[in-house]
Amino acid sequence: MYDILIVGAGPSGASAALFAAKAGKKVIVIDNDKGVTKRAWVENHYGVLEVSGPDLVSTGKKQAEKFGAELVDATVESLEKKEEAFVVTTSEGSYEAKHVILATGFLADLAEKAGVQTKPGTEPRVKTIIDVDASGQTNIPGIWAAGTTAGVSVHTIITAGDGAKVAINVISEINGERYVDHDVLK
């Protein structure tokens, strides 16, 4: 069983995976490679002169894998609560996790099918978003949402930061105390 299962490996999902895996959590990311970032050209990311969306996503996935996150190329078909875990069924099999982070970009249909509350979107072209509190928690304990699907701006730097924020909150809940990750020059 995984500690955290993340649906989506765009900037918010991969960022969440990076933080969670680096914190020593058993993490799996399920992605179908249909995110909008693969069509982006990015020149507004702090610390990055310019990068194509596909390269940004590829680097994010590599960073998460570096710390032990497992990546699966599949489409999620359902999300259900079963006793002490969530079961996520995909086109490639089923996976169990204690926590799920939905980082599904413009899509909220998986969340709605699972009983997660949604509301009208505020960003252009984003019709529906997942209703979350300030920590990224949905109405179903253990299901979280990050990035555009959680109502933050579609800009990759903002969704990546939101993914990190939500991961820190999930890690803190798992650990029972506030988690902080600071790297220091060697």
Side-chain angles (χ1 to χ4, degrees):
M1 177 176 320
Y2 294 91
D3 294 313
I4 304 170
L5 183 148
I6 301 165
V7 181
S12 61
S15 183
L18 165 62
F19 271 80
K22 192 167 181 274
K25 303 307 174 203
K26 188 173 180 185
V27 177
I28 186 169
V29 182
I30 301 171
D31 185 67
N32 64 8
D33 197 33
K34 293 183 181 177
V36 297
T37 304
K38 69 184 200 176
R39 297 190 309 261
W41 178 255
V42 180
E43 292 187 65
N44 58 359
H45 237 284
Y46 174 79
V48 176
L49 291 178
E50 57 187 35
V51 65
S52 72
D55 286 344
L56 182 68
V57 170
S58 176
T59 299
K61 289 177 180 179
K62 287 176 187 171
Q63 287 178 297
E65 287 178 311
K66 172 185 173 184
F67 292 104
E70 182 181 335
L71 272 72
V72 173
D73 188 15
T75 298
V76 174
E77 297 167 351
S78 67
L79 164 61
E80 298 176 87
K81 176 75 172 159
K82 299 277 181 151
E83 297 173 16
E84 298 298 314
F86 294 95
V87 176
V88 174
T89 303
T90 76
S91 56
E92 301 299 317
S94 294
Y95 305 89
E96 290 188 9
K98 296 174 188 168
H99 294 268
V100 173
I101 298 175
L102 300 172
T104 54
F106 285 44
L107 305 175
D109 54 334
L110 175 66
E112 289 177 323
K113 287 186 225 172
V116 174
Q117 291 178 352
T118 60
K119 61 185 182 181
T122 56
E123 289 288 300
R125 299 180 306 280
V126 181
K127 293 180 183 174
T128 304
I129 60 173
I130 298 170
D131 192 8
V132 296
D133 67 14
S135 70
Q137 176 68 58
T138 71
N139 62 300
I140 299 176
I143 299 179
W144 308 71
T148 302
T149 198
V152 302
S153 172
V154 299
H155 297 90
T156 59
I157 194 164
I158 296 170
T159 61
D162 195 56
K165 174 198 82 173
V166 172
I168 292 295
N169 291 331
V170 176
I171 296 161
S172 297
E173 183 170 304
I174 292 169
N175 291 352
E177 64 183 9
R178 189 71 182 156
Y179 175 76
V180 177
D181 177 6
H182 290 289
D183 294 325
V184 180
L185 284 174
K186 293 178 171 114

